[in-house]
Each structure stands twice: as structure tokens, then as C-alpha cells.
Amino acid sequence: MMLLTSKHIIADFVLQTAWMAQGKDQKHGWGLPLLVHCLIHLAVALPLILIAAPRFWFVALIDFAIHITVDRAKGLVSSNFHVNQEHPWFWTLIGVDQALHHLTGFGLSIFMAAN
């Protein structure tokens, strides 16, 4: 869990640019920023998992797939309901997004620990 949480902090906060953060929530042109952002998650997760538990290398791909799905869902809500920093749903949406990412890490950690 600590490994995947560290990966999330690095990829979602340290390495995510404004272009990615704003671009992935747009109504049009969201694909490339979202893909780059989620590929960074994959690029950080894979080596960490290969070092700590190499037989679970595929967990990085599962994390990538879930991350891209969660972020796209957030982007759809943001773009269709015009959620920006002034919108009352902004922080709720950020919180739900982060909770889903942390639950993903928790679930994947349980999977790895149980196998």
C-alpha cells in the first residue's frame, strides 16, 4: 500500500503538469493529456512493482487501466457540468477522484498480499 501510495503522490502531484491536469478535463482535446498523465503512472508503478514484487508486474497495467477510467469519468463530469475551481462541486469531485485512486491502491495491495 505504501508503494502504490508513493507512486500516486509522485505521478499525480509531482509529475503532473498543468497541461495534463487541465487538459484531461476538457470537453475536446482531452485524450493526449489524459494518456500522457496515465502513462506517467504506469512508468512510475512498473519499476517500483518490479523491484518490490516482480511477479505482479501486470498490476501496473491494471492500475493504468483503472486510473485512466477514473480520470476520464472525472473529466466527463467536469466538462459536462462546467466544474472549475469556482464551482461548488470542484473540491468534492477532486476528493472523490482521489478516494477512488486510493481505493484502487488498497484493492491492488490486498490482491498482491493475498497471492
Side-chain angles (χ1 to χ4, degrees):
M1 184 67 201
M2 289 299 296
L3 181 84
L4 291 175
T5 299
S6 298
K7 181 275 307 177
H8 184 78
I9 291 168
I10 292 165
D12 233 33
F13 297 100
V14 177
L15 299 177
Q16 182 171 205
T17 66
W19 172 75
M20 289 178 236
Q22 294 164 3
K24 64 186 178 152
D25 288 346
Q26 299 304 308
K27 197 163 194 96
H28 304 286
W30 54 267
L32 187 58
L34 177 62
L35 181 61
V36 170
H37 170 64
C38 292
L39 285 172
I40 289 171
H41 274 272
L42 180 62
V44 175
L46 189 56
L48 291 175
I49 292 170
L50 286 173
I51 291 166
R55 70 187 186 107
F56 291 112
W57 61 270
F58 60 91
V59 168
L61 297 175
I62 295 169
D63 180 68
F64 168 83
I66 294 171
H67 200 97
I68 205 165
T69 302
V70 168
D71 277 14
R72 183 60 196 135
K74 177 182 165 279
L76 285 169
V77 171
S78 293
S79 64
N80 288 319
F81 293 97
H82 309 288
V83 178
N84 58 28
Q85 289 184 354
E86 290 79 38
H87 195 285
W89 293 359
F90 178 78
W91 290 109
T92 301
L93 194 55
I94 295 285
V96 169
D97 172 78
Q98 291 301 304
L100 290 172
H101 292 315
H102 289 292
L103 285 170
T104 299
F106 184 63
L108 293 173
S109 296
I110 289 172
F111 169 77
M112 288 188 284
N115 291 293

